[in-house]
Amino acid sequence: MSKQVKHLSLALQGGGAHGAFTWGVLDRFLEREDLVLDGFVGTSAGAMNASVLAYGLHIGGREKARELLNKFWKVTSDSAASSPLQPTWFDGYFGKKGNMDFSPFYRATEVMSLFFSPYQSPIQANPLRPILEDLVDFNELKKCTVTKLYVCATNVRRGRARVFGLDEMSIDAVLASACLPTLFPAVTIDGEDYWDGGYMGNPPIFPLISGDACADIMLVQINPINIPKTPKTPEEIRDRINELSFNSSLMLEMRRVSFVDRLIDMGINPDSMFKKIRIHNINPEKDMWEWNLSSKLNATWDFLTDLKELGRKYADEWLTENYEHIGVKATCDVRATFL
């Protein structure tokens, strides 16, 4: 007797190198032949993971998706290692948990951003562009029918989220989603300028809710919501401000999800315009809360693979405990977690 197939859509947060945790979650999910990944919405690193994965599924199925994700993170790490701001004599140092915040690249960019904008830099190209160009044929990706894909960017002048679907997917859309304004010039698409999507949707949930989309949504978080102590040092305070700002849009959207859920429970659903959404989440905050903001720019291979294995561990534990609940009930208490 064949095992029942479950369907799940995924919403992937952004967070720089911490997106390697999400890589691990995706890698473990792709091993499950009885788990169909119906759609993805991603921001920043989440957009990178989602676009590479969707393309892999489109051209070669699960194993190809796993192969391309591994290649994306390995080439990204190799590219960072060749940077003069991340010299080889730091290899191994980053892998020690207590030293995650000691990033030469972060220190250099932090100082430079106080005096220079990306528009004044002689090097304005995003180093991820050639990596994505080599891995993903975006014209071919637009033809993908095996999964849905959305990436989120922030419209700089209009102050709102822009969600790009498959029909308008491009390398610029993905790079816009990951455009940190202190590092890179805004990405221009159709006459509009875009920054990192995390400012307005990290990630947005609504693209996965509309129409006949899968009602089970897995939120993979990499920005801690809860921390055990109040920040006291200047660096700790900056870190917490970053976490709060990049979680704020998600907190508001989950409040709306909870409100709609309560209306349905009370029998209030005019013209059947609402549908029940089952939210699931994987949140590694107890293992990642103390990692400094600087570690989001740590692309050393040991660090990335440690994060990947942590993501696989969380995904495996979640599947063991909750796989049977997919399609049946939510496994995340939205009110307790986000409200």
Side-chain angles (χ1 to χ4, degrees), residues 8 21 32 40 58 62 82 87 96 112 145 182 196 227 234 263 265 279:
L8 194 63
F21 172 87
R32 291 290 298 252
F40 303 91
H58 172 61
R62 294 168 182 268
S82 66
K96 302 171 186 177
M112 288 174 60
T145 58
T182 57
D196 193 295
I227 59 174
L263 288 179
D265 287 344
I279 298 293

Side-chain angles (χ1 to χ4, degrees), residues 95-167:
K96 302 171 186 177
K97 191 171 182 180
N99 295 325
M100 293 299 183
D101 61 343
F102 192 73
S103 167
F105 182 66
Y106 175 78
R107 299 299 185 214
T109 57
E110 185 179 37
V111 172
M112 288 174 60
S113 68
L114 296 175
F115 303 98
F116 304 99
S117 90
Y119 298 90
Q120 298 170 304
S121 170
I123 303 174
Q124 297 189 9
N126 190 321
L128 292 173
R129 180 178 289 274
I131 296 173
L132 285 173
E133 286 176 337
D134 182 60
L135 289 179
V136 179
D137 180 340
F138 281 89
N139 287 326
E140 182 63 30
L141 178 58
K142 289 181 179 181
K143 303 174 187 176
C144 177
T145 58
V146 295
T147 191
K148 299 179 179 67
L149 174 65
Y150 307 92
V151 302
C152 177
T154 298
N155 188 307
V156 179
R157 292 183 299 110
R158 301 182 186 279
R160 64 195 69 178
R162 167 79 183 272
V163 176
F164 298 87
L166 266 171
D167 61 331

